[in-house]
Amino acid sequence: KIRSWLLIEPAVGQQICLSAMGKKELKEVVEEKAAEEEEEEPRVSLYVSPLATPLVTDKLLARSLKLIKKSVSEKKTRRGVPECTKAIRKGQQGICFLAGDIFPMDVFAHIPTLCEEKGIYYVYVKSRHELGAACQTRRPISLIMVMEPPADSAYSSTYQQVVAGIKAVHPYM
């Protein structure tokens, strides 16, 4: 007789025999495990780069993440270091949001300098996971550029509010 085993807690080594359990009980165990996985804690960044200034927080952070979410839905963003660098060098206008917890810093240390040369606003966000969540993806994002919207766009008012907030916070703009 072959027995099939379901490993529930690999760290503890707790096992449940499937053949000794009814279908209803098995379904409950699987649902409990799925519920535990869904209640995953949000990731906390343990590292913040010394270059990460200005770091947006509170109300400006909430507006910025809302702006990113709206612009992603309209496909007006550039994601990742190579794509954003190319857009900045071509002279496209917008706002760059950089993750403050990227290590090593060399990955995108050239971006703030390029932004200042081209007159593009940039700010740091505490975590790359926050940027990924704002883009409605589970993948963490190190850098995202929100393109300047046309006047009739759905997110143009939010864009103007975020630009005003960045001007107030940013020491170089």
Side-chain angles (χ1 to χ4, degrees), residues 7-40:
L7 187 63
I8 300 294
E9 297 288 335
V12 179
Q14 178 186 3
Q15 296 179 343
I16 297 176
C17 179
L18 295 180
S19 61
M21 182 183 292
K23 288 183 181 179
K24 191 173 185 180
E25 293 171 356
L26 177 64
K27 188 176 179 182
E28 289 173 2
V29 170
V30 171
E31 285 175 359
E32 286 175 14
K33 189 65 178 169
E36 288 175 9
E37 289 176 3
E38 288 177 9
E39 295 173 6
E40 215 173 88

Side-chain angles (χ1 to χ4, degrees), residues 15-112:
Q15 296 179 343
I16 297 176
C17 179
L18 295 180
S19 61
M21 182 183 292
K23 288 183 181 179
K24 191 173 185 180
E25 293 171 356
L26 177 64
K27 188 176 179 182
E28 289 173 2
V29 170
V30 171
E31 285 175 359
E32 286 175 14
K33 189 65 178 169
E36 288 175 9
E37 289 176 3
E38 288 177 9
E39 295 173 6
E40 215 173 88
E41 292 181 22
R43 297 189 179 190
V44 179
S45 71
L46 301 174
Y47 171 77
V48 177
S49 171
L51 295 178
T53 53
L55 192 67
V56 293
T57 56
D58 302 329
K59 196 171 186 178
L60 182 58
L61 176 64
R63 279 193 181 142
S64 300
L65 297 178
K66 184 178 176 183
L67 170 68
I68 292 170
K69 193 176 275 191
K70 286 181 179 179
S71 63
V72 164
S73 67
E74 290 193 18
K75 307 237 192 269
K76 297 289 184 186
T77 57
R78 303 284 178 261
R79 274 188 217 180
V81 177
E83 197 173 337
C84 289
T85 303
K86 193 162 104 176
I88 293 168
R89 287 195 174 136
K90 284 185 175 181
Q92 296 178 354
Q93 292 296 310
I95 304 172
C96 281
F97 294 96
L98 300 102
D101 63 345
I102 301 296
F103 184 82
M105 295 178 281
D106 304 346
V107 175
F108 61 77
H110 63 286
I111 297 290

Side-chain angles (χ1 to χ4, degrees), residues 99-158:
D101 63 345
I102 301 296
F103 184 82
M105 295 178 281
D106 304 346
V107 175
F108 61 77
H110 63 286
I111 297 290
T113 309
L114 279 175
C115 288
E116 288 175 15
E117 287 175 1
K118 300 287 185 171
I120 296 171
Y121 297 105
Y122 70 92
V123 288
Y124 287 87
V125 178
K126 188 177 179 185
S127 156
R128 60 183 176 238
H129 299 289
E130 286 180 0
L131 286 177
C135 292
Q136 298 166 348
T137 180
R138 289 184 136 185
R139 183 114 177 111
I141 294 174
S142 60
L143 170 63
I144 187 165
M145 182 176 180
V146 176
M147 308 309 291
E148 190 171 17
D152 62 341
S153 178
Y155 69 95
S156 61
S157 63
T158 309

